[in-house]
Amino acid sequence: MATSEGSNKNPYVQRAVRDEDPFYGSMELSKTAASGVSSDIVIEEEADFNNEVAQYTKPKAFAFLKTKRFWIILVLGQLLSLSIVATNTFTTYLTDDGNNIPAFQTFFNYVILCLIFTSYTIYRYGFRKYAKMMFHDCWKYFILAFADVEGNYFVVKAYQYTNLLSAELLDNWTIAVVVVLSFLFLKVRYHWTQYAGIIICIAGMVLVVIGDLVTDKNYPAVDMVKGDLFVILGATCYGVSNTLEEFLVSERPIYEVLGQMGLFGMVINGVQASIFERDSIRDAHWGSSMAGWFTGYTLCLLFLYMTAPILFRMSSAAFYNLSLLTSDFWGFIIGIKVFAYRVYWLYPVGFVFTISGMVIYNAFYRTLDGEARKPWIGEDQKNAITGIGTVKNKPADEEN
């Protein structure tokens, strides 16, 4: 029987369900299965062999940059960065129209995630095993959803109080939080070139911020202390959410993680919006334009939430946040047409710095798996979940 995502490790999956997992891929059936050999045994032996070879293979510098995995994560990271730009653009339209509903505008994202992925999780596990999973793991998903909801809320609120320069610079705090949490709790040990890559990426972002100042995009702060505290709080929540999600999707099926994030996020976000945004929701300028912006925002955010876990598996939460640093450049490119931004030479220079930093970050790895080889799972990665983006389901040019 072919092994679908999570079934080789997850005790809650019903073995009697369909072999292939339509969400986020499944393990292909071994060619030798047709000859009567158990595919589970073959897959296990092949995985052990690949892990053993990878463990003792030490690629030369920049070898990882020649693999499909690197180019996939680089492109995937920029697609996620563009989705951030799209959500920011729709938020700008909503705000400029006099709508201030930061919690409510993300509510439907969690609702859709819950409807799709929680339903599918129950289908895969059955009600009894789903209830058992929730009993043991609900606290993890509550923390994940709470950190994610509050990260979204406080960062959006921060822009109402602090100025653009402060918000953009302090938003980099997320990277520091992810690196520290990964080092302390996930046993991640960074190479010095990765620290150098992070510094270069942030330097590129600083150049873009300087470009914003020169082109008069900055605006005065209403309450700078309050706004800066909101940015730091929101960035810290994002760091916790990203690190915890990377940990969870490395050991559990993506549909389980997204389903429970949607479920708890829907409840937390709904309660928060009903308490703090009742007047804003009532006074919002409801109409066809707002419906269009709201729909566009939700669809772009859904793409972000459904795609980010793949990047967390193939790379890391740290690289994910480095990838998002280019969003200011892509926002500038879109803003030239949409908001009539003035072209300034520091923007492309900052973009080149950030991309160069991401290349340097990935330049030196002990194996061709890069950051897909998670240290908290173990050196041989035997307990890693099987699914898209993991070391047990990697691009063909990385097979040993």
Side-chain angles (χ1 to χ4, degrees):
M1 182 181 71
T3 306
S4 59
E5 178 175 315
S7 61
N8 63 316
K9 183 184 177 187
N10 195 339
Y12 307 116
V13 174
Q14 295 280 17
R15 293 284 182 169
V17 297
R18 293 180 177 86
D19 289 342
E20 291 196 1
D21 186 347
F23 289 105
Y24 301 107
S26 61
M27 199 71 174
E28 293 183 359
L29 187 64
S30 172
K31 293 179 180 179
T32 59
S35 64
V37 179
S38 170
S39 62
D40 285 335
I41 296 176
V42 173
I43 291 172
E44 184 177 355
E45 290 177 350
E46 289 177 349
D48 288 345
F49 174 76
N50 287 333
N51 286 327
E52 185 175 293
V53 173
Q55 182 177 350
Y56 296 105
T57 301
K58 294 186 178 181
K60 297 179 181 178
F62 306 108
F64 179 70
L65 304 181
K66 302 175 184 178
T67 65
K68 286 183 180 179
R69 183 178 293 274
F70 169 72
W71 292 103
I72 290 173
I73 64 174
L74 185 65
V75 172
L76 195 59
Q78 293 314 295
L79 289 175
L80 293 172
S81 181
L82 284 169
S83 71
I84 286 288
V85 174
T87 59
N88 290 342
T89 302
F90 286 119
T91 298
T92 300
Y93 279 127
L94 288 168
T95 303
D96 289 347
D97 194 44
N99 303 296
N100 180 23
I101 46 176
F104 183 72
Q105 74 182 56
T106 60
F107 175 71
F108 292 101
N109 172 64
Y110 294 113
V111 171
I112 297 173
L113 287 176
C114 178
L115 289 176
I116 296 175
F117 293 106
T118 298
S119 300
Y120 184 71
T121 303
I122 294 173
Y123 164 75
R124 289 285 295 171
Y125 295 177
F127 283 103
R128 181 175 297 180
K129 291 189 177 182
Y130 174 77
K132 183 179 178 181
M133 179 274 293
M134 288 292 287
F135 178 78
H136 288 287
D137 299 329
C138 64
W139 64 274
K140 300 177 186 177
Y141 291 120
F142 177 83
I143 295 173
L144 174 66
F146 182 83
D148 190 71
V149 169
E150 300 312 319
N152 289 330
Y153 181 78
F154 282 112
V155 168
V156 173
K157 290 291 287 184
Y159 279 85
Q160 300 174 19
Y161 295 98
T162 190
N163 58 35
L164 180 65
L165 171 63
S166 184
E168 288 181 332
L169 291 177
L170 289 175
D171 202 30
N172 289 294
W173 176 247
T174 302
I175 298 173
V177 173
V178 168
V179 170
V180 171
L181 291 178
S182 298
F183 183 90
L184 293 178
F185 298 105
L186 300 185
K187 303 178 182 178
V188 177
R189 297 297 178 262
Y190 295 97
H191 192 270
W192 68 267
T193 53
Q194 290 180 294
Y195 290 113
I198 291 173
I199 293 172
I200 293 172
C201 284
I202 294 177
M205 193 268 181
V206 170
L207 291 176
V208 173
V209 172
I210 294 174
D212 286 342
L213 288 176
V214 173
T215 54
D216 297 323
K217 290 196 191 69
N218 198 24
Y219 50 79
V222 176
D223 188 338
M224 194 155 186
V225 174
K226 184 177 182 179
D228 288 352
L229 288 175
F230 278 175
V231 175
I232 294 173
L233 184 57
T236 301
C237 289
Y238 275 146
V240 172
S241 174
N242 294 163
T243 306
L244 181 55
E245 187 173 357
E246 181 189 356
F247 170 77
L248 290 171
V249 298
S250 69
E251 298 189 335
R252 309 309 295 267
I254 290 177
Y255 56 79
E256 178 188 308
V257 177
L258 288 181
Q260 304 338 293
M261 178 191 282
L263 175 62
F264 287 104
M266 176 181 66
V267 175
I268 297 169
N269 190 279
V271 171
Q272 187 165 319
S274 65
I275 295 174
F276 297 108
E277 297 183 358
R278 284 180 296 178
D279 294 338
S280 298
I281 294 172
R282 185 192 62 234
D283 298 335
H285 300 161
W286 299 102
S288 58
S289 296
M290 183 175 178
W293 299 329
F294 216 95
T295 301
Y297 175 85
T298 301
L299 291 176
C300 292
L301 199 61
L302 271 174
F303 173 80
L304 177 72
Y305 275 71
M306 294 170 67
T307 309
I310 302 174
L311 186 59
F312 289 148
R313 282 182 171 182
M314 298 188 71
S315 185
S316 66
F319 182 76
Y320 165 79
N321 281 282
L322 292 178
S323 299
L324 297 188
L325 291 181
T326 60
S327 62
D328 290 322
F329 172 78
W330 295 123
F332 162 73
I333 296 298
I334 294 175
I336 292 176
K337 294 291 184 182
V338 177
F339 302 114
Y341 286 166
R342 180 161 60 91
V343 178
Y344 192 68
W345 64 273
L346 277 179
Y347 289 106
V349 174
F351 179 76
V352 171
F353 263 73
T354 304
I355 294 295
S356 299
M358 285 189 280
V359 171
I360 293 173
Y361 180 87
N362 288 282
F364 293 87
Y365 286 126
R366 191 170 59 81
T367 75
L368 292 178
D369 294 326
E371 290 187 303
R373 185 168 290 270
K374 309 298 184 183
W376 58 89
I377 296 177
E379 184 67 27
D380 58 9
Q381 303 288 285
K382 274 188 176 181
N383 294 325
I385 195 168
T386 300
I388 185 170
T390 66
V391 292
K392 290 189 177 180
N393 196 18
K394 53 191 176 181
D397 74 334
E398 297 175 35
E399 298 290 350
N400 293 298

